Each structure stands twice: as C-alpha cells, then as structure tokens.
C-alpha cells in the first residue's frame, strides 16, 4: 500500500511542483496560461484553416511583432485560447524539435539547464489565440512541456513556438529537489532564495536573442532601471532606430529562469 502511494506521489509531484513554481515566481501574467490550461482540459479540438506556408520573416519589426504576442494578448483581456487538432504550418515533431534551440538563449550564462528529450515530453499542443480586438492578430502557438525525474531531482522545461514562423516566443526551465517540498507538493520555504544580482546574465541573454533572431537594426538591452530585479523580474528592451519597440520580462531565481513567460 505504501509503495502504491509512493508511486502515485511520484507521478503527481511534478505537476504539483509546476503549480508551486508559478506561485513562487509571482508571474503576473496568469490569464494566458490559465486559458491555455482550461482549453486543454475541456477536450475540445477545433479544425482551422488560416492558409498555409511557413512565413519567412526577415524584417526586425516582424520578428518583434511575433515576440510581443504574449504581451499583446495579456494586455488585451478580450480573447480566447482554443486547443486545436493540428498546427497550420508546423507539425508536432517540428515543434518539439525546437527543444534543441533552447540552449542558445542562455549560452554563456551559469543558469541551470539539462537538455531534455523525446522520452521526457509530457505534452505538445497547438493553441489558436483569437481576440475581439481588431488590432490583435489571431495566432497559432505551440505549447511544449518536458519533465524528468532524476532520483530526487525534478527537471521541467516549457516553451512556446509561433506556428507560422517557428520563432521561439518563450522558454523556461526549473529544477526541484524532492526534499524541498512537503507531501502536498508545497514548497516548505516561503519562496525562491535570491543570491545575487543577475543583471550580467540578462545582458548575455539579450545578446543571445539578438544573434538567435538575427536582428539587423535592433538592439536588445537590459533595462537598467532595475539593478537586482523586482521580485526576480528583469526586463529586456528592444530598440530600433533609437526607439523602444518592445519590452519582455525575464525571471531569474536560484534554480530556474523564464524568458518572456506566457
């Protein structure tokens, strides 16, 4: 009986840890993720036809528009997220293969990361995001989630990919030790401990994003108005021609990180 209970706990703990992480991080954009979770659990699968052919994005402005999707949808409350049966341009295998690109975002930093693979994939689903606001473009976004248990350590990786271009819109990684949580999956500590100023780390992420997205006339820079981070939150500003075109949040804590969370 005890073994069965332990097995059940091992299966459910990663999900509990995911929820605990969201609370501990204080990510103040919960609406988008909540709508995605709701649409996943209602077993609705809609077929859509928005045209085909992967877009070839070359201009900085078009890339920034894609990277700003989550901020745009989060600022506009009048939208719906619907789980659909398939992407319009990307297949599930193509979306999950993007996991190999994630390390480029944190290259040259000391942020924790372990490469996860197909055996660790828990779900990969396309979501149709529809807004009532005429200025907000309808989009299909793949939400990918990997998790692995290594002894007493749980590793979780999530990211989002724009279906029309293959651009990675968001990525985050966290490691948990089983000993840090009680039987209900609740962190015994009040929150993630903060060790040091991570400004240099975020500057490197900004450099990596400039290279990864092949910006030509756009500079990505740390928002210097926050030196140590407000509730573990930093910001990266994107400037084109001296004008700030986009700001995305970056969260850094001792056992994980999140770039442009959804």
């Amino acid at each position: 009986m005890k073994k069965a209970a332990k097995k059940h706990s091992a299966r459910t703990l990663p999900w509990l840890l995911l929820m605990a992480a969201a609370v501990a991080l204080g990510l103040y954009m919960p609406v988008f993720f909540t709508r995605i979770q709701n649409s996943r659990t209602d077993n609705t699968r809609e077929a859509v036809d928005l045209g085909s052919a992967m877009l070839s994005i070359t201009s900085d402005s078009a890339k920034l528009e894609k990277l700003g999707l989550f901020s745009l949808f989060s600022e506009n409350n009048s939208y719906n997220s619907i789980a659909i049966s398939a992407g319009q341009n990307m297949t599930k295998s193509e979306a999950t293969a993007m996991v190999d690109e994630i390390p480029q975002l944190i290259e040259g930093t000391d942020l924790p990361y372990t490469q996860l693979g197909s055996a660790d994939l828990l779900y990969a689903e396309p979501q149709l995001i529809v807004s009532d606001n005429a200025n907000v473009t309808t989009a299909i976004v793949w939400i990918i989630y990997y998790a692995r248990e290594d002894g007493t350590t749980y590793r979780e990786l999530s990211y989002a990919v724009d279906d029309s271009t293959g651009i990675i819109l968001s990525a985050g990684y966290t490691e948990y030790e089983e000993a840090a949580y009680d039987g209900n999956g609740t962190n015994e500590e009040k929150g993630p401990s903060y060790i040091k100023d991570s400004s240099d780390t975020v500057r490197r992420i900004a450099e990596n994003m400039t290279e990864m997205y092949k910006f030509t006339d756009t500079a990505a820079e740390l928002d210097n108005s926050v030196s140590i981070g407000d509730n573990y939150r930093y910001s990266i500003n994107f400037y084109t021609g001296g004008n700030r075109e986009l700001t995305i949040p970056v969260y850094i804590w001792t056992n994980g990180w999140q770039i442009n969370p959804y």
Side-chain angles (χ1 to χ4, degrees):
M1 189 74 176
K2 288 183 178 179
K3 286 185 178 179
K6 191 172 182 180
K7 273 190 172 182
H8 176 72
S9 175
R11 287 195 303 268
T12 59
L13 186 54
W15 295 99
L16 293 170
L17 294 178
L18 177 65
M19 299 306 296
V23 173
L25 274 175
L27 302 182
Y28 296 116
M29 289 190 288
V31 176
F32 187 84
F33 185 74
T34 300
R35 290 182 184 231
I36 286 175
Q37 291 298 87
N38 288 342
S39 59
R40 285 190 68 250
T41 55
D42 67 7
N43 295 318
T44 300
R45 294 293 180 271
E46 299 288 343
V48 296
D49 184 7
L50 300 179
S52 59
M54 187 82 75
L55 296 178
S56 177
I57 288 186
T58 57
S59 70
D60 287 3
S61 61
K63 296 172 187 176
L64 291 173
E65 181 180 352
K66 291 296 182 182
L67 283 174
L69 277 176
F70 291 138
S71 296
L72 194 59
F73 283 121
S74 295
E75 290 168 1
N76 172 46
N77 293 322
S78 183
Y79 71 88
N80 291 293
S81 172
I82 306 167
I84 57 179
S85 56
Q88 191 63 39
N89 299 283
M90 298 187 75
T91 64
K92 178 179 178 180
S93 61
E94 288 172 332
T96 55
M98 297 298 293
V99 69
D100 295 331
E101 308 296 321
I102 302 299
Q104 295 182 47
L105 289 168
I106 58 168
E107 184 178 359
T109 73
D110 59 357
L111 293 175
Y113 188 73
T114 297
Q115 187 68 48
L116 303 181
S118 58
D120 309 307
L121 181 65
L122 290 191
Y123 68 76
E125 293 186 347
Q127 299 281 333
L128 176 64
I129 316 299
V130 182
S131 173
D132 293 336
N133 188 332
N135 295 319
V136 181
T137 305
T138 297
I140 296 177
V141 177
W142 284 86
I143 305 299
I144 317 293
Y145 178 58
Y146 291 83
R148 179 195 298 173
E149 177 185 353
D150 292 324
T152 60
T153 302
Y154 295 89
R155 310 179 194 279
E156 298 175 345
L157 168 67
S158 64
Y159 64 93
V161 179
D162 174 54
D163 178 77
S164 66
T165 62
I167 287 180
I168 295 175
L169 306 177
S170 170
Y173 176 83
T174 308
E175 295 181 355
Y176 305 96
E177 288 296 329
E178 183 178 10
Y181 292 82
D182 62 24
N184 295 320
T186 302
N187 196 337
E188 292 176 350
E189 299 176 357
K190 292 183 178 180
S193 57
Y194 192 85
I195 292 180
K196 61 182 180 179
D197 182 353
S198 297
S199 297
D200 288 341
T201 295
V202 179
R203 288 191 185 93
R204 184 55 193 263
I205 291 173
E207 293 172 3
N208 292 342
M209 294 186 76
T210 298
E211 181 177 347
M212 185 174 179
Y213 296 113
K214 296 180 172 59
F215 289 122
T216 56
D217 301 315
T218 298
E221 301 176 0
L222 168 73
D223 182 351
N224 288 310
S225 65
V226 180
S227 60
I228 300 182
D230 179 13
N231 196 26
Y232 319 106
R233 182 188 190 280
Y234 296 80
S235 293
I236 293 177
N237 295 325
F238 295 83
Y239 296 92
T240 303
N243 297 317
R244 187 175 67 180
E245 303 293 338
L246 176 68
T247 298
I248 65 168
V250 176
Y251 291 83
I252 306 291
W253 65 105
T254 54
N255 62 333
W257 48 271
Q258 193 87 4
I259 301 171
N260 199 24
Y262 49 82

